[in-house]
């Protein structure tokens, strides 16, 4: 960020804030003269961390982003570091109030007539990819699913004949056998050179959704799992599915079929449901599964990309490994992208309810009606209550990495995380594992855990996920591209193998939030069309963890 052509050293995010954010490392005795601030620092302030803009008494509110993000546990002098030693988590009160759904729509003229090339499904949804999925209905079938994976992926050109790391070890063995005892450093081979040609060019891959659930839990757990799996089977990025069931588990095939019908009453994709205890012989089960799946792949390969309006995009909004810059660069940047997409008639999903703690009032005010607002506040209340009953609470959400990089309370982290949702009205509030049915901004109840939340967003219908990170997070999803956005340039330069976009440009003042948000949307269109591959897709970061309803922050 720059002021009068000079690099800004610190930022006061909201006019009502009583803390500032260091954009660079600041030293004790430095005089801060950036907009809204004039003070001498009494301590060193590392980049991304906060400092007090006034003398604060014990039990004083810490205000950031214009909301309460903590309380002092002892007096804090003006110009000193805000830390876990002098501040603890706290939020302001909230209640149902009048609707505040007005917003300034961004100019979308440059994108109004743009299209992406997607896979059109019966019912009108459009996928950004074309996958076949193989699902165990219960963990007892994981071994059989592994056999299907081994049978198909290499033979059909979806995984290397050997991994680049296997090739690396083989070369080391050759050197050792030739008498070498040192200098085993070997460059990793390009994985693409180890791939066989794809047999089905219009199918992006066969994805295996292994999990540890399906039996042994409550009936509600089984219903929830079937709802999530039905979300993946009916997902626009999925051409068809093979499901393996044991037979005696809580997650029955009939439950799965009920959940599929809820989401898509006219469901017509190829779906093969195989039950081991009915078939009897494991070899016979696998032979049938392989035969049926191959037949389904032949059908799925007939699908081709066709132009689709941007209103057919449903974007999941996620953050992981957040830092003190996430809430002022990457998150508001994708918040602007969100507003652009909503203005174009698309859908966005903001989840991670523990990371909306402290901004309940703003989000409930933005709900389109009182019923929607009440559902949001009710879900937040129940989640917080269950966390407290388990001996924890939302206050325990920030990770050690978050705290080290300037996010010292959950409310401070949440106020920045909520920026991913932009400024549009909240069109709907969903409980996990419900599906998005309305265009606009949707709130989805999930934990803050990155993979559980991303898994849930895709199950709700996200055909692309925008994932911001300040520390670097190597994760993805089996069927939806996960685009990684770095909050700072140092991270992007260090971890370009797993990050796609840099928004450290906002911190450095070479780009505005609006410009970054527009650039992100342009990249989304390329990924949605198959012109670009997100790093997580290239690296086969196929993480899938269903949320077992309980306490996961």
């Amino acid at each position: 960020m720059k002021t009068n052509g000079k690099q800004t050293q610190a930022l006061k995010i909201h006019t009502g804030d009583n803390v500032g954010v260091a954009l660079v490392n600041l030293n004790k005795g430095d005089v801060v003269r950036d907009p809204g601030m004039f003070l001498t620092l009494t301590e060193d302030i590392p980049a991304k961390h906060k400092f007090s803009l006034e003398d604060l008494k014990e039990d004083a509110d810490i205000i950031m982003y214009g909301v309460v993000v903590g309380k002092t546990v002892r007096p804090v002098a003006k110009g000193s570091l805000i830390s876990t030693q002098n501040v603890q988590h706290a939020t302001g009160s909230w209640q149902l109030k009048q609707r505040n759904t007005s917003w300034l729509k961004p100019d979308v003229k440059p994108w109004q007539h743009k299209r992406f090339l997607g896979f059109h499904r019966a019912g009108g949804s459009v996928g950004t990819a074309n996958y076949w999925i193989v699902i165990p209905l219960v963990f007892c079938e994981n071994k059989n699913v592994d056999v299907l994976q081994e049978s198909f992926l290499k033979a059909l050109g979806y995984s290397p004949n050997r991994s680049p790391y296997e090739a690396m070890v083989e070369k080391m063995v050759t050197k050792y056998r030739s008498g070498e005892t040192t200098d085993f450093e070997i460059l990793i081979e390009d994985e693409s050179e180890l791939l066989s040609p794809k047999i089905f060019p219009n199918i992006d891959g066969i994805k295996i959704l292994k999990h540890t659930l399906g039996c042994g839990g409550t009936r509600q757990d089984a219903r929830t799992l079937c709802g999530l799996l039905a979300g993946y089977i009916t997902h626009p990025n999925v051409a068809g599915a093979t499901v393996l069931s044991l037979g005696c588990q809580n997650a029955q095939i009939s439950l799965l079929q009920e959940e599929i019908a809820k989401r898509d009453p006219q469901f017509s994709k190829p779906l093969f449901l195989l039950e081991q205890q009915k078939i009897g012989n494991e070899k016979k089960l696998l032979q049938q599964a392989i035969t049926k799946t191959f037949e389904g792949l032949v059908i799925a390969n007939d699908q081709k990309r066709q132009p689709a309006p941007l209103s057919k995009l449903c974007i999941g909004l996620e953050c992981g490994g957040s830092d003190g810059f996430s809430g002022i660069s990457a998150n508001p940047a994708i918040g602007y992208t969100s507003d652009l997409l909503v203005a174009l008639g698309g859908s966005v999903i903001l989840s991670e309810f523990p990371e909306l703690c402290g901004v309940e009032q703003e989000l409930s005010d933005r709900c389109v009606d009182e019923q929607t607002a009440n559902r949001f506040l009710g879900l937040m209340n129940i989640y917080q209550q269950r966390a407290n009953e388990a001996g924890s609470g939302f206050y325990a959400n920030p990770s050690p990495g978050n705290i080290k990089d300037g996010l010292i309370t959950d409310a401070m982290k949440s106020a920045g995380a909520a920026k991913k949702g932009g400024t549009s009205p909240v069109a709907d509030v969903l409980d996990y594992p419900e599906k998005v049915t309305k265009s606009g901004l949707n709130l989805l109840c999930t934990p803050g855990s990155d993979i559980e939340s991303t898994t849930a967003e895709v199950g709700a219908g996200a055909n692309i996920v925008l994932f911001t990170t300040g520390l670097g997070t190597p994760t993805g999803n089996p069927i939806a591209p996960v685009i990684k956005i770095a909050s700072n340039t140092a991270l992007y330069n260090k971890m370009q193998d797993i990050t796609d976009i840099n928004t450290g440009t906002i911190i450095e003042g070479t780009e505005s939030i609006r410009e970054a948000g527009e650039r992100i949307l342009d990249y989304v269109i390329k990924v949605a069309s198959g012109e670009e591959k997100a790093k997580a897709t290239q690296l086969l970061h196929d993480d899938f963890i269903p949320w077992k309803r309980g306490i996961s922050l």
Side-chain angles (χ1 to χ4, degrees), residues 315-320 326-342 348-350 352 416-423 441 457 465-469 483-487 501 503 506 512-521 524:
I315 305 292
L317 309 168
E318 188 66 31
C319 56
S326 293
I328 55 179
S329 61
N331 290 349
I334 70 169
Y336 193 83
T337 307
S338 302
D339 283 348
L340 287 169
L341 193 62
V342 169
V348 295
I349 306 172
L350 180 64
E352 301 178 289
K419 296 298 178 186
K420 301 193 300 291
T423 61
L441 173 60
E457 287 185 342
V465 176
L466 295 178
F467 190 119
T468 67
T469 182
I483 298 170
K484 297 286 179 47
I485 297 115
S487 72
I501 294 172
T503 59
I506 295 169
S512 67
I513 288 170
R514 176 184 61 79
E515 289 168 336
E518 292 174 344
R519 176 165 58 92
I520 291 166
L521 180 57
V524 165

Side-chain angles (χ1 to χ4, degrees), residues 65 172 268 321 334 352 362 419:
Y65 298 97
M172 288 179 174
S268 60
I334 70 169
E352 301 178 289
E362 181 209 341
K419 296 298 178 186

Side-chain angles (χ1 to χ4, degrees), residues 345-362:
S347 304
V348 295
I349 306 172
L350 180 64
S351 58
E352 301 178 289
F353 271 30
E355 296 182 8
L356 302 180
C357 176
V359 292
E360 296 95 338
Q361 190 67 65
E362 181 209 341

Side-chain angles (χ1 to χ4, degrees), residues 137-421:
L137 207 45
V138 62
F139 57 83
C140 308
E141 290 297 322
N142 280 348
K143 176 183 174 293
N144 289 331
V145 167
D146 284 339
V147 173
L148 293 185
Q149 184 175 26
E150 291 167 9
S151 303
F152 278 116
L153 298 192
K154 289 179 182 178
L156 300 184
Y158 293 115
S159 70
N161 297 317
R162 54 179 181 168
S163 81
Y165 303 102
E166 286 177 304
M168 183 177 171
V169 172
E170 285 176 11
K171 288 181 178 179
M172 288 179 174
V173 169
T174 300
K175 286 185 104 177
Y176 176 71
R177 283 177 171 166
S178 68
E180 291 274 357
T181 56
T182 59
D183 189 25
F184 290 109
E185 187 172 343
I186 293 169
L187 291 176
I188 298 174
E189 288 185 47
D190 181 358
E191 193 167 314
S192 62
E193 294 177 3
L194 303 173
L195 284 167
S196 300
K198 278 173 67 172
I199 304 301
F200 298 111
N202 294 328
I203 300 175
D204 292 297
I206 303 170
K207 296 298 183 178
I208 313 297
L209 308 186
K210 286 202 301 184
H211 56 84
T212 60
L213 304 177
C215 200
T218 65
R219 292 294 193 272
Q220 183 189 21
D221 289 339
R223 170 73 71 177
T224 301
L225 174 66
C226 286
L228 176 71
L229 298 179
Y232 276 74
I233 291 169
T234 59
H235 195 282
N237 289 8
V238 170
T242 303
V243 178
L244 300 189
S245 168
L246 180 59
C248 57
Q249 73 276 354
N250 286 342
Q252 287 286 299
I253 284 178
S254 58
L255 268 185
L256 178 66
Q257 290 172 320
E258 286 174 24
E259 292 297 326
I260 289 172
K262 279 184 192 176
R263 289 158 178 79
D264 186 356
Q266 307 301 320
F267 182 78
S268 60
K269 293 178 184 177
L271 175 64
F272 306 119
L273 303 166
L274 302 168
E275 193 162 279
Q276 185 170 2
Q277 288 171 347
K278 276 187 180 178
I279 295 170
N281 183 283
E282 185 175 283
K283 186 176 180 181
K284 207 177 274 188
L285 168 78
L286 290 169
Q287 285 176 329
Q288 287 187 28
I290 290 170
T291 301
K292 292 289 186 185
T293 300
F294 197 88
E295 290 171 356
L297 292 169
V298 173
I299 296 169
N301 192 53
D302 289 337
Q303 293 275 344
K304 293 182 180 178
R305 291 184 181 271
Q306 302 291 336
L310 301 188
S311 59
K312 293 296 184 180
L313 289 174
C314 179
I315 305 292
L317 309 168
E318 188 66 31
C319 56
S322 299
D323 71 346
F325 286 163
S326 293
I328 55 179
S329 61
N331 290 349
I334 70 169
Y336 193 83
T337 307
S338 302
D339 283 348
L340 287 169
L341 193 62
V342 169
L344 288 161
S347 304
V348 295
I349 306 172
L350 180 64
S351 58
E352 301 178 289
F353 271 30
E355 296 182 8
L356 302 180
C357 176
V359 292
E360 296 95 338
Q361 190 67 65
E362 181 209 341
L363 288 173
S364 64
D365 291 351
R366 285 166 56 188
C367 290
V368 291
D369 52 42
E370 286 196 3
Q371 182 181 358
T372 305
N374 272 323
R375 191 173 200 216
F376 170 59
L377 295 178
L379 288 170
M380 286 293 289
N381 261 327
I382 292 168
Y383 202 155
Q384 176 75 279
Q385 180 184 336
R386 287 178 179 168
N388 290 337
E389 287 170 355
S392 188
F394 287 169
Y395 66 84
N397 176 264
S399 69
N402 295 148
I403 294 168
K404 179 174 175 282
D405 269 52
L407 299 175
I408 64 169
T409 72
D410 181 57
M412 187 179 290
K413 181 181 180 183
S414 297
K419 296 298 178 186
K420 301 193 300 291

